[in-house]
Every structure is written in structure tokens, then in C-alpha cells.
């Protein structure tokens, strides 16, 4: 229908001319391969630029404070409160929700346990004596001593079990189970068989469970609160009642 074939299929006569060369086995001429390659690179760059433009989306700035009590949380900064204000809010919520007034209050403490040489402090456990006790429960404490006067002082101050090396066998056989173990320095060389059994509860000066002041140690471990630092440097424990 057209006067020339090239008007409908441009370059057809060139392809027909190259066809005999292909049949004869000669390698085809690729005169414009380099141009195609550069065009490919250019197309990749343009695609990358387009994706970058798509990624950079305009985000709405955070507003300072919501105008009412129903709002989208991701538009505003997360609120933080002082300790006294937060405790007051807990009491107010308890009254509004009619919840149990003596329920426990929990706290999450995030510790920065990183050192200068990119090492971290190993997780540990300790006991603290809070200024206001929130429970009537007391821990059972065993006191290691062979001095009769020290043993009498321990019993007067609320020790659950008091004794010397004769307690080792009963502890290894799980006949005696208490919450904490304290000792005086004179008996420590005889308690080495219990090191693997008691592990972190083994008496030591680092945990304030080894010393001469038996009443002070008993008060700490009978009324104190034990907390554990987890692998992420977080302490999760209860500290009070509402």
C-alpha cells in the first residue's frame, strides 16, 4: 500500500541485507552496542533518581500539644512527666477506673551499661532497702556463724535459720531452702562446697551479704527488694502501691 517499504518498516532493507551474512556463519556486526550500553547506564541513573525523589516525602511537622484528648499520636511528641505529677496521675486514674487501690506500681529503669572500649557491664542482681515498705511479706534469711553470741543476735533479729558447717549437707540436698544467705568472715573458708550451689546468692562483700554487722545484713535481706538487670540493661520491678 505504501510506495516504499521503509516507510512502514524503517531499516528493513538493512536487516534483509545482513541476513545472508548470518546464514554463512560470520559473526554479526554490533556497531551500536556501546551506545546501547551507555543508554542502559543512563536509564539506571534516571531510575535511581526517580526512586530517591519518591523516597523523600514531606512529613508533617510535629505539633507542640494536642488541642483535645482525642488525637493521632504520631503527630505529637510523646509526653513525659515529672515523678510527682506521674504519681498523681496514677492515683487519679485509679479513682476514675475503680481499680484496686492497693495494686502494685511497677517501674522500668533503662541503664546505660556501655563502657569506653565498646564493652558492656555484665547483667547483675542486687538488693536495695526502700525508704517505704509496701508489703508485709519478709524474706527468709539464713545466717552462717559458729559463734554462739552472733547466733543469738541473728535469732533476735529475725533470722530464719542459724548454724555452721552442719547446714552444708542439708542445703546441698535441698532440705533447707531460703531466700538469702549471709555469713560472717570467719566461716567463709568452710563454705566453699556451696559456691556452685548458691551461685549469685553465695555470701560476698560485693552484695553486702558478708560482714560482722548481722542486724544490718538481716534488715537489708529480710525487708529489702531484690532487682535484676536484664541483658538489655533494663530493670523491671515493683516499687510501691497506688
Amino acid at each position: 500500500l505504501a510506495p516504499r517499504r521503509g516507510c512502514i518498516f524503517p531499516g528493513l532493507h538493512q536487516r534483509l541485507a545482513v541476513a545472508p551474512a548470518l546464514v554463512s556463519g560470520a559473526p554479526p556486526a554490533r556497531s551500536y552496542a556501546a551506545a546501547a550500553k551507555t543508554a542502559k547506564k543512563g536509564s539506571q541513573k534516571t531510575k535511581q533518581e526517580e526512586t530517591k525523589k519518591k523516597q523523600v516525602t514531606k512529613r508533617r511537622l510535629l505539633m507542640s500539644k494536642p488541642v483535645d484528648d482525642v488525637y493521632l499520636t504520631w503527630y505529637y511528641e510523646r509526653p513525659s512527666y515529672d515523678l510527682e505529677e506521674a504519681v498523681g496521675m496514677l492515683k487519679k486514674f485509679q479513682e476514675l477506673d475503680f481499680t484496686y487501690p492497693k495494686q502494685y506500681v511497677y517501674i522500668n529503669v533503662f541503664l546505660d551499661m556501655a563502657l569506653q572500649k565498646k564493652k558492656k557491664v555484665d547483667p547483675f542482681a542486687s538488693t536495695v532497702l526502700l525508704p517505704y515498705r509496701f508489703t508485709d511479706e519478709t524474706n527468709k534469711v539464713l545466717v552462717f556463724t559458729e559463734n554462739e553470741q552472733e547466733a543469738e543476735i541473728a535469732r533476735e533479729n529475725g533470722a530464719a535459720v542459724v548454724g555452721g558447717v552442719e547446714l552444708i549437707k542439708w542445703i546441698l540436698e535441698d532440705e533447707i531452702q531460703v531466700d538469702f544467705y549471709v555469713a560472717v568472715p570467719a566461716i567463709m573458708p568452710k563454705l566453699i562446697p556451696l559456691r556452685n550451689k548458691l551461685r549469685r546468692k553465695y555470701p560476698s562483700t560485693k552484695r553486702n551479704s558478708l560482714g560482722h554487722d548481722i542486724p544490718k545484713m538481716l534488715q537489708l535481706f529480710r525487708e529489702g527488694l531484690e532487682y535484676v538487670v536484664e541483658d538489655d540493661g533494663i530493670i523491671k520491678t515493683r516499687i510501691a502501691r497506688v
Side-chain angles (χ1 to χ4, degrees), residues 198-210:
L198 301 182
R199 296 184 180 181
R200 64 182 179 87
K201 291 186 177 182
Y202 188 76
S204 65
T205 54
K206 188 176 182 181
R207 296 202 61 199
N208 299 318
S209 57
L210 177 63

Side-chain angles (χ1 to χ4, degrees), residues 2 32 39-40 77 94 108 118 136 139 141-142 158 170 201-202 206 210 212 227:
Y32 48 86
K40 192 175 181 182
E77 296 181 359
Q94 181 269 324
N108 293 352
K118 296 183 179 180
D136 297 331
N139 300 316
V141 184
L142 183 148
W170 296 345
K201 291 186 177 182
Y202 188 76
K206 188 176 182 181
L210 177 63
H212 295 283
Y227 63 90

